Amino acid sequence: MSYEILDINTVARYAKGVKAISDVLGDGEYIAKEVGDGNLNLVFIVENPTKQTSVVIKQALPYLRCVGESFKLGEQRMLFEIRSMLFYEKAASGLVPKIYHYDEAKYTLVMQNLSKHIIMRKGILDCIEYPKFTDDITDFIAKTAFATSVYGMDSFGRSKLYSDFAQNGELRKLTEDFVFTFPYMQNETNRHNPLIDEKAESIKANGAFKEKAMELKYIFMTKAEALLHGDLHTGSVMLNQDETFVIDSEFAFMGPIGFDLGAVTANLLMASIAMRVREKPEYADKMEHAAYEVIEKFGKKFETLLVNGKGGMYVDGYWGQNDLCHKEALAKKITSEIIKESIGFAGCKMARRQLGVAHVLEIESIEDETKRAIAETKALDIAVKMVLNYENIDTAEKLKNLITEAK
Ligand code: ADP
Ligand code: SR1
Ligand code: MG
């Protein structure tokens, strides 16, 4: 069957007609609802009430949902979500939903319905604590990045990865434009709270900031270090107290490792800023602390993998007992570079969410415009500092100092 956009009726029929899906759902009548609240795609939950079974069916639309049908975007992007999810099932098992089926002609991905989990952003708004999050997300980033980097994968495996993800140019371009460029210039897609007009203008006129943003864009466009998720914000994580699942990897590409780490850090910092303005100071502190923990835990895990991991460019017998300290020093240096870049990427991600087309729920839903402006201004002040100083920040402690100075 060729591509046609599904709706709640056709998706139920589609589920019936595909054995891999009906095997999960069982006999009976299927009912569907659309739950997509993301910026790009259709997401259906298809249920069989008789058997109390369900699946999620995600389908790419031929346009960018958050802008409208006039902004064309190839539905082929679903191929990259499919490929990366299949890879994550092995490299980060237990941290992505089960994949039941995929269809490269209909651009659909059929997966486990995470009905006992919540999108992290929404849980944050209810001040829910997630004790496993920083461990799980740093496992996800460190393991998948290491396994696909020159340190953990041989050249043949990496050549295949390059070719599998090389065609994801359209989504890379979205990030190049909407994270690194448009928010810092006049562009019709930009929008911001009128109360921060002056701040927004000051960033568009801040040459030093714009220079660094271009430097970071260059790194993003050229440093094919490892396979990245590419859009790892707190809307791409579904979790509860016991389990964490990463979803929505259609932006996957070979890029700089710091990009995913920066996305998580930025989103925790924005959550912290929002919750402080919402007068939840203890929870805000926890979110801020979680941002530091993510940097620290990732650093430790990645360094350990670099020293002990196998499968990449370090040929057996290369390092002798006497020069292990050099292997460790190199591991530190590599990790330190990744963290520095992650801070710059995080800064861009925080700035774009106040000035560009796509904002974040925790800040955007602060009803009082004046209070929202306080959160947006804080996020922008911290973002600018992070972008300007990213080359000096390679530890959680240095990040904490920078943020404390900006407060
Ligand atoms: P988009 O690519 O449009 O951003 P997402 O993959 O982020 O789409 O999914 C949009 C929404 O659909 C999520 O915010 C979540 O509410 C829901 N969703 C996505 N995947 C699942 C899943 N496996 N289980 C339950 N709900 C899901
Ligand atoms: C075009 S901006 C839409 C945004 O939504 C996705 O989640 C990505 O972050 C993208 O930049
Ligand atoms: Mg999403």
Side-chain angles (χ1 to χ4, degrees):
M1 242 199 291
S2 59
Y3 178 65
E4 72 190 49
I5 297 175
L6 294 167
D7 60 34
I8 54 168
N9 298 311
T10 54
V11 77
R13 279 204 294 278
Y14 169 67
K16 264 265 170 238
V18 176
K19 185 171 179 310
I21 311 177
S22 61
D23 279 352
V24 177
L25 291 175
D27 292 336
E29 200 176 320
Y30 299 171
I31 47 169
K33 59 182 175 206
E34 210 264 316
V35 295
D37 58 2
N39 290 325
L40 283 88
N41 300 293
L42 287 173
V43 179
F44 301 95
I45 293 180
V46 183
E47 285 179 298
N48 178 350
T50 323
K51 303 270 180 194
Q52 297 198 330
T53 49
S54 60
V55 296
V56 160
I57 302 184
K58 178 167 177 179
Q59 185 184 43
L61 286 165
Y63 54 85
L64 180 58
R65 189 175 184 171
C66 69
V67 174
E69 291 190 32
S70 59
F71 195 119
K72 302 290 173 224
L73 199 64
E75 57 277 9
Q76 295 80 0
R77 63 185 187 272
M78 182 51 76
L79 303 184
F80 307 105
E81 182 155 344
I82 293 169
R83 286 174 196 166
S84 51
M85 278 291 161
L86 294 175
F87 170 78
Y88 294 148
E89 274 197 322
K90 287 183 249 141
S93 83
L95 293 172
V96 290
K98 281 191 207 80
I99 305 302
Y100 300 129
H101 177 71
Y102 58 89
D103 185 331
E104 296 199 353
K106 288 186 93 55
Y107 304 113
T108 51
L109 177 63
V110 185
M111 62 189 137
Q112 177 185 0
N113 177 17
L114 300 171
S115 54
K116 298 192 174 72
H117 306 80
I118 182 174
I119 281 285
M120 188 169 179
R121 270 192 211 301
K122 296 186 179 163
I124 286 172
L125 276 175
D126 287 335
C127 292
I128 303 176
E129 291 182 30
Y130 297 110
K132 290 190 77 238
F133 174 70
T134 58
D135 266 329
D136 286 346
I137 204 71
T138 51
D139 262 2
F140 178 85
I141 303 173
K143 281 183 184 160
T144 56
F146 177 79
T148 55
S149 70
V150 295
Y151 313 111
M153 185 181 257
D154 64 31
S155 296
F156 299 103
R158 278 174 52 85
S159 300
K160 165 124 180 39
L161 270 188
Y162 280 120
S163 70
D164 282 352
F165 290 90
Q167 302 304 319
N168 203 5
E170 247 190 327
L171 291 207
R172 291 183 62 141
K173 180 80 167 67
L174 274 191
T175 303
E176 290 160 22
D177 290 341
F178 289 95
V179 175
F180 294 106
T181 317
F182 292 166
Y184 322 126
M185 59 186 281
Q186 297 308 325
N187 185 274
E188 70 214 11
T189 60
N190 287 339
R191 61 189 176 86
H192 64 254
N193 179 350
L195 296 185
I196 64 158
D197 261 349
E198 228 174 273
K199 178 65 66 186
E201 286 315 307
S202 80
I203 289 174
K204 293 185 177 103
N206 185 339
F209 172 87
K210 286 165 66 172
E211 181 187 330
K212 290 286 172 198
M214 279 302 113
E215 206 172 278
L216 288 155
K217 180 175 179 179
Y218 176 83
I219 298 171
F220 175 82
M221 292 176 74
T222 57
K223 197 165 188 172
E225 224 173 3
L227 179 67
L228 305 186
H229 177 283
D231 197 24
L232 197 52
H233 53 75
T234 42
S236 297
V237 174
M238 294 191 73
L239 76 180
N240 58 27
Q241 270 65 35
D242 306 314
E243 291 175 310
T244 309
F245 290 100
V246 170
I247 60 165
D248 196 11
S249 55
E250 75 199 297
F251 283 75
F253 75 104
M254 294 294 280
I257 296 172
F259 192 72
D260 281 351
L261 183 63
V264 175
T265 309
N267 279 271
L268 290 170
L269 291 175
M270 286 188 282
S272 159
I273 291 165
M275 297 317 277
R276 212 171 293 286
V277 168
R278 288 168 179 275
E279 294 173 22
K280 304 282 182 204
E282 281 170 25
Y283 192 75
D285 284 346
K286 285 185 179 143
M287 287 292 107
E288 189 180 325
H289 183 70
Y292 305 141
E293 254 185 27
V294 161
I295 298 286
E296 197 179 321
K297 288 183 181 177
F298 167 82
K300 284 194 181 133
K301 287 177 188 180
F302 201 72
E303 252 182 73
T304 306
L305 284 167
L306 289 173
V307 172
N308 301 325
K310 295 222 173 299
M313 69 182 201
Y314 296 153
V315 173
D316 277 348
Y318 180 81
W319 297 103
Q321 274 309 317
N322 292 341
D323 44 36
L324 273 186
C325 60
H326 290 285
K327 192 182 187 189
E328 282 166 13
L330 184 55
K332 248 191 202 338
K333 196 166 154 189
I334 293 163
T335 308
S336 153
E337 276 313 298
I338 293 171
I339 293 177
K340 285 179 193 173
E341 288 172 6
S342 81
I343 302 299
F345 293 138
C348 290
K349 286 194 160 250
M350 288 173 74
R352 63 82 62 125
R353 294 289 187 184
Q354 319 313 315
L355 305 174
V357 65
H359 292 217
V360 292
L361 180 70
E362 302 92 309
I363 295 182
E364 185 83 333
S365 61
I366 299 174
E367 273 174 29
D368 182 319
E369 272 197 344
T370 311
K371 286 190 177 164
R372 193 176 346 120
I374 293 173
E376 291 159 336
T377 305
K378 181 62 61 198
L380 284 170
D381 287 344
I382 291 174
V384 170
K385 263 187 169 286
M386 287 168 82
V387 169
L388 290 178
N389 296 296
Y390 79 91
E391 288 146 300
N392 305 318
I393 311 292
D394 61 354
T395 63
E397 200 189 336
K398 289 182 192 167
L399 176 61
K400 188 174 181 182
N401 291 341
L402 177 138
I403 287 173
T404 312
E405 275 169 29
K407 272 183 184 167

